[in-house]
Amino acid sequence: MNSTSYSDSIEKYNNSIRDLWKPEFENALESTENTNVKFMNFCFHVNQGESPVWFFGMNPSLPISPKEIISQDSDLTENLISKLKEEQKNMHDEYQYFKKAKDFFKDDVGINELLNPIFHDLYPIRHTKQNEFERFIKDKSLGPLRESLDKATKHLIDKIMPDIIVIANAGASRLIKEIFFEGIDSNSTTLTYEQNGKKTDMIFSSMLSGQRALDTYSRSRLAREIRETWNSRNNK
């Protein structure tokens, strides 16, 4: 993965998220009834360096600290964006979700090139309860917000085309298949996305931590599938 391409691509992605900040999210909340999703803050993609493997979730949880620095009336100044990005970097170091993922690639997958996955959430809207967020994002009265977010992530991946994307969330797996494999009715745990003469292998799974975490055998199968995919790509 070219670092310049990665840096440029995430800057464009973050700018697109920034542009959605108030108009589309505010309209979505107004048009969607009976939702507990609140206007807090988007989660910008922080630069994580180069890696051939990405690790996708559905959406980020809401830590305590952003509540103290942002509201719906906040202007997205460069200083505020820096604070939000720093918050996300801290989460990558401190939260069990990220620690468990890193441990999985180190201890279960065990391939040196895959020790530092790049973390990305399909929907960069902070909300802790997954079932509430899924109802919100699937609401047909949501307006253009979901489509705009889908396009932002798809454009990001089209530019980067990492070797492997592991989608460690059952709900996100279903939605990513709709975005990248429209019209394909498949229960396969691995699909190959092709764009601009490049290929990205997407591996669909469930969470590595939390109440809905994979059991020991499913975790082992996922690690084996990642290894086999990597070795196949590299003729090993």
Side-chain angles (χ1 to χ4, degrees), residues 161-165 191-193 198-202 233:
M161 293 299 289
D163 289 352
I164 297 174
I165 298 176
L191 291 172
T192 300
Y193 175 65
K198 298 180 180 179
K199 296 181 179 181
T200 293
D201 290 306
M202 297 190 182
R233 292 184 64 95

Side-chain angles (χ1 to χ4, degrees), residues 180-193:
F180 289 92
F181 304 98
E182 185 178 4
I184 296 178
D185 183 14
S186 174
N187 291 321
S188 174
T189 58
T190 303
L191 291 172
T192 300
Y193 175 65

Side-chain angles (χ1 to χ4, degrees), residues 108-208:
D108 296 71
V109 178
I111 294 176
N112 288 335
E113 293 91 338
L114 307 182
L115 293 181
N116 297 297
I118 291 178
F119 296 104
H120 183 81
D121 281 298
L122 179 57
Y123 298 110
I125 302 171
R126 295 191 183 280
H127 191 77
T128 300
K129 293 185 178 180
Q130 185 92 80
N131 58 344
E132 292 179 352
F133 181 79
E134 283 199 53
R135 285 198 299 271
F136 168 75
I137 204 67
K138 293 178 180 178
D139 194 314
K140 293 183 178 180
S141 63
L142 194 61
L145 178 65
R146 177 181 167 185
E147 181 180 358
S148 296
L149 294 173
D150 289 348
K151 286 182 178 179
T153 285
K154 188 174 186 301
H155 289 161
L156 175 63
I157 296 305
D158 284 352
K159 290 293 185 181
I160 303 297
M161 293 299 289
D163 289 352
I164 297 174
I165 298 176
V166 178
I167 302 94
N169 182 289
S173 292
R174 290 189 292 269
L175 292 169
I176 285 177
K177 286 181 179 181
E178 293 179 12
I179 298 168
F180 289 92
F181 304 98
E182 185 178 4
I184 296 178
D185 183 14
S186 174
N187 291 321
S188 174
T189 58
T190 303
L191 291 172
T192 300
Y193 175 65
E194 300 186 33
Q195 183 72 17
N196 301 322
K198 298 180 180 179
K199 296 181 179 181
T200 293
D201 290 306
M202 297 190 182
I203 300 174
F204 304 96
S205 182
S206 295
M207 298 179 70
L208 294 177

Side-chain angles (χ1 to χ4, degrees), residues 64-121:
I64 295 174
S65 49
K67 297 179 182 179
E68 302 171 355
I69 62 175
I70 195 163
S71 71
Q72 190 163 344
D73 297 324
S74 300
D75 290 325
L76 276 181
T77 63
E78 291 301 324
N79 184 53
L80 179 55
I81 289 175
S82 294
K83 287 183 179 180
L84 295 174
K85 288 182 178 179
E86 189 63 30
E87 177 71 32
Q88 187 63 18
K89 289 181 181 178
N90 290 338
M91 290 180 69
H92 286 178
D93 292 332
E94 299 173 5
Y95 272 54
Q96 284 300 308
Y97 171 84
F98 300 105
K99 288 183 177 180
K100 293 291 186 182
K102 293 175 182 177
D103 288 345
F104 170 75
F105 280 96
K106 178 183 177 182
D107 300 333
D108 296 71
V109 178
I111 294 176
N112 288 335
E113 293 91 338
L114 307 182
L115 293 181
N116 297 297
I118 291 178
F119 296 104
H120 183 81
D121 281 298

Side-chain angles (χ1 to χ4, degrees), residues 215-228:
D215 61 38
T216 300
Y217 301 104
S218 298
R219 183 185 179 95
S220 178
R221 283 194 293 271
L222 174 60
R224 184 176 65 248
E225 193 163 16
I226 294 171
R227 286 194 300 271
E228 290 175 349

